[in-house]
Amino acid sequence: MSFATINPATGEFVEEFPLQSDKEVFEALDTADRRYREDWKFRPVAERARIVGRAARILREKRDEYASYLTLEMGKVTRFGYLEVDLVADILDYYAENGERFLAAESLPGEPGATLVTEPIGVILAIEPWNFPYYQLARVVAPQLVAGNVVMLKHAESVPRCALAFARLFEEAGAPEGVYTNLFCGIEQIADLVDDFRVRGVTLTGSERAGASVGERAGRNLKKVVLELGGSDPALILEGASLEHAVEQTVMGRTFNSGQGCVNIKRVIVVGRERGEKMLAALTERFAAIVVGDPTDEATLLGPLASERGLDGLLEQIEAAQAAGARIVHGGKRVDRPGFYLEPTIITDIAEDNPLYQQEAFGPVLSFYVVDSEAEAIELANATRYGLGAYVFDVDIEHAKQVASRIESGMVYINSCFADSPRLPFGGVKNSGFGRELSALGIGEFLNRKLLRVSESA
C-alpha cells in the first residue's frame, strides 16, 4: 500500500508517496507527545486560537490552490470545491473565535466552592476519509488544537496532496512541530499507535467495518473514541409536501459531491401512490438532464467518482439489486469516457430481501420507495442499521417536527437537503457511530472535565 494521486476525471496516475517507516511514525509520536506535555497544553487558549484563526486567513488567501487539489485528487466539481474550502475556513474561525468561551470554567449552582474546569488530554489520533479532504479534517483539528490537544492525522491513501496541503496550512500559521502531524502510514502502524499509551483518544470517519475495528482496539486500551460511520439517509415526502421543492432538494441531496457523502439523501420515501408516480417521473426527468463531465467545467453538476474501486463497487451493487428484482428507472451504467464516471441512477421496486434495502450506496444512486401511509414511511425510514441523517418534507412544519421525533437518527433536516455550519453538531446513532463533531459539542469530546472543590481550611 502507498499514498498515490490518480486523477479520477481521466484515470491517469500522477504521483506516488511512500509510506513512513515504523521508526519515522514513532519519532513523530515522540515529538507530538513532548510538544503536548512541555508546551502546547500550557499555552493560553487565546494563543492557540490565534494560530487556528491565522490558518483560516491563509486558507482564504490560497483558496484557488486548495480547491485545485480537491478536483485533482478526488474529482470534486470545482465550484463545490470552493464551497468546501470556504466552509473549512469558517470552521477554523468558529473555534478560534469561540474557544475561550467553550473552555471557560463553570461554577456549579448550589455547590459553593465547586468549579468545573476543562483540560486537554493529550495526543489525538484521527483517521479520515477522502470524500471531503479538508472538511473532515477541520471538524477534528480546529476544536482539538484550540482545546490544547495535539493531533496526529492519517488521511486516505488517495488524497496525499490534500493531506500535505492541510499540514502545510498549520505550519505556515505558526503551529510548532508536533502540534499537527500528517502521517503516511499503514493499517498495522495505526493499530500500533492506538495501542500506545501516549495516544489518549481516537477519532475515525469511515466504513462500518473500519469503525468496528478501531473502536474495538481503542476499547481494549481504554481510550475515548468518536466514530462517524456513514448512513442510508431517508427523505420522507409527506402528503402535504411540495413535490416541486422535494424534487429540487432530492436532486441536489443525492448528487452533491457525486453522491459521495455520508449524509447525502440515499432513499426517497413518498407517501401516496399517485404522488409517488409524479415524483418518480419528475426525478427521472431531472436525472436525465444532469450534466456529467469534467469537474472543472462550470456546466458540470456530476463529476467522476473518486476511484475506480468505488465505481466498480457501485456497479456491483446495482447489478445485484437488479438481479434481486429491483427496477432500474434511469442510469445504472458506467459513462463511456475516460475516468471513473457513473450515470446518475434511480432504482425502485426494492424488496426487503434485496441487498440494496440495507446497503449504503456511496455514489449517485437513489433508492426510491412509495408507501400508502405516514406510519409506513416512518417504519421504512427506521428499517436500517444506520442512523446518521434524515430528511422530512412537509408544508406543515409542526407536523414535520412530530415525524422527525420518530426517526432514529442523529440529525433531521426539514425541507432542505442538508445544511452545513460550524455551529451545527454532526453525528449519528445506531451503526452510524457515536460522538459529535462541530458546534460546542465537538470541542468537548476529548477534554478532561475536572472538578475543583474548594473548602475553607480548618
Side-chain angles (χ1 to χ4, degrees):
M1 182 191 76
S2 63
F3 285 67
T5 299
I6 297 173
N7 187 342
T10 64
E12 295 176 349
F13 171 84
V14 178
E15 188 176 8
E16 186 173 21
F17 299 80
L19 291 179
Q20 294 168 287
S21 67
D22 290 350
K23 181 174 182 292
E24 290 171 322
V25 169
F26 280 90
E27 284 179 348
L29 175 58
D30 290 342
T31 300
D33 180 60
R34 186 167 56 254
R35 179 65 64 186
Y36 167 73
R37 289 184 293 101
E38 298 177 1
D39 174 13
W40 191 246
K41 72 175 182 177
F42 296 117
R43 295 194 184 197
V45 176
E47 184 178 340
R48 300 193 298 251
R50 275 195 296 272
I51 290 175
V52 173
R54 196 175 301 132
R57 291 195 296 276
I58 295 170
L59 183 59
R60 290 192 172 96
E61 292 168 0
K62 299 185 175 183
R63 188 170 178 257
D64 291 343
E65 175 190 345
Y66 276 77
S68 71
Y69 298 138
L70 298 173
T71 300
L72 172 65
E73 292 200 309
M74 62 85 49
K76 195 181 294 283
V77 172
T78 298
R79 67 179 184 276
F80 297 149
Y82 283 122
L83 290 178
E84 180 173 347
V85 170
D86 293 343
L87 176 58
V88 168
D90 288 345
I91 292 170
L92 296 171
D93 273 338
Y94 173 75
Y95 285 107
E97 293 166 3
N98 293 283
E100 286 188 284
R101 177 168 60 87
F102 291 152
L103 300 169
E106 300 176 33
S107 298
L108 300 180
E111 291 291 340
T115 306
L116 200 62
V117 299
T118 59
E119 295 179 352
I121 61 173
V123 179
I124 307 302
L125 175 63
I127 305 152
E128 299 300 327
W130 45 262
N131 56 330
F132 291 94
Y134 306 139
Y135 170 58
Q136 302 281 9
L137 276 56
R139 295 188 335 199
V140 175
V141 175
Q144 296 315 318
L145 295 194
V146 171
N149 294 312
V150 300
V151 176
M152 302 186 74
L153 194 140
K154 186 267 180 192
H155 215 323
E157 293 84 357
S158 59
V159 290
R161 288 191 178 187
C162 291
L164 291 170
F166 204 75
R168 192 164 60 246
L169 180 67
F170 285 93
E171 181 181 350
E172 293 177 8
E177 184 183 13
V179 167
Y180 177 77
T181 306
N182 178 69
L183 296 171
F184 283 164
C185 64
I187 295 174
E188 291 184 0
Q189 291 168 314
I190 287 295
D192 290 340
L193 285 171
V194 175
D195 288 342
D196 194 294
F197 184 80
R198 292 170 295 178
V199 171
R200 300 313 308 150
V202 184
T203 180
L204 174 141
T205 296
S207 69
E208 190 177 350
R209 179 180 177 183
S213 176
V214 168
E216 178 185 11
R217 196 164 200 115
R220 288 203 306 267
N221 287 280
L222 301 178
K223 294 179 182 179
K224 175 70 182 290
V225 63
V226 170
L227 300 175
E228 196 273 277
L229 308 178
S232 186
D233 304 64
L236 284 68
I237 318 301
L238 303 183
E239 291 177 291
S242 162
L243 288 185
E244 182 179 357
H245 178 71
V247 167
E248 176 188 348
Q249 292 295 305
T250 297
V251 171
M252 180 54 69
R254 177 62 288 201
T255 61
F256 180 74
N257 206 45
S258 296
Q260 300 166 122
C262 298
V263 77
N264 280 73
I265 292 175
K266 311 287 174 48
R267 299 178 290 147
V268 164
I269 305 168
V270 184
V271 179
R273 298 289 162 179
E274 184 178 346
R275 285 167 58 79
E277 290 178 6
K278 289 181 180 179
M279 184 158 184
L280 182 57
L283 282 171
T284 302
E285 181 179 351
R286 290 290 301 274
F287 269 49
I290 289 173
V291 177
V292 181
D294 182 352
T296 64
D297 190 329
E298 291 185 2
T300 297
L301 176 65
L302 192 68
L305 293 167
S307 69
E308 190 162 27
R309 178 182 177 184
L311 172 59
D312 289 342
L314 278 171
L315 290 170
E316 290 173 6
Q317 282 183 290
I318 293 168
E319 183 179 354
Q322 191 171 23
R327 176 165 60 95
I328 310 299
V329 179
H330 184 271
K333 298 178 181 178
R334 183 171 187 162
V335 177
D336 185 17
R337 60 173 292 159
F340 312 135
Y341 292 87
L342 177 70
E343 296 173 335
T345 301
I346 303 174
I347 304 178
T348 193
D349 299 338
I350 305 166
E352 287 187 41
D353 59 355
N354 193 304
L356 189 60
Y357 190 87
Q358 284 290 341
Q359 291 173 341
E360 177 184 24
F362 211 67
V365 177
L366 179 68
S367 297
F368 188 88
Y369 300 84
V370 180
V371 295
D372 294 317
S373 69
E374 187 176 283
E376 289 178 87
I378 295 169
E379 182 179 5
L380 179 55
N382 291 333
T384 172
R385 62 179 180 268
Y386 296 111
L388 186 58
Y391 307 83
V392 177
F393 291 86
D394 195 0
V395 293
D396 185 338
I397 302 301
E398 291 306 313
H399 180 65
K401 289 180 180 179
Q402 292 174 12
V403 171
S405 71
R406 298 174 61 189
I407 296 175
E408 298 164 352
S409 67
M411 302 168 283
V412 180
Y413 303 90
I414 295 175
N415 291 331
S416 69
C417 55
F418 40 67
D420 289 319
S421 167
R423 293 168 290 279
L424 299 176
F426 190 101
V429 296
K430 301 198 292 191
N431 284 27
S432 287
F434 41 80
R436 293 294 181 267
E437 294 176 332
L438 299 179
S439 78
L441 300 182
I443 202 169
E445 290 288 358
F446 295 106
L447 288 176
N448 175 19
R449 304 282 284 178
K450 180 186 287 186
L451 171 66
L452 294 184
R453 184 67 166 89
V454 178
S455 298
E456 295 296 330
S457 176

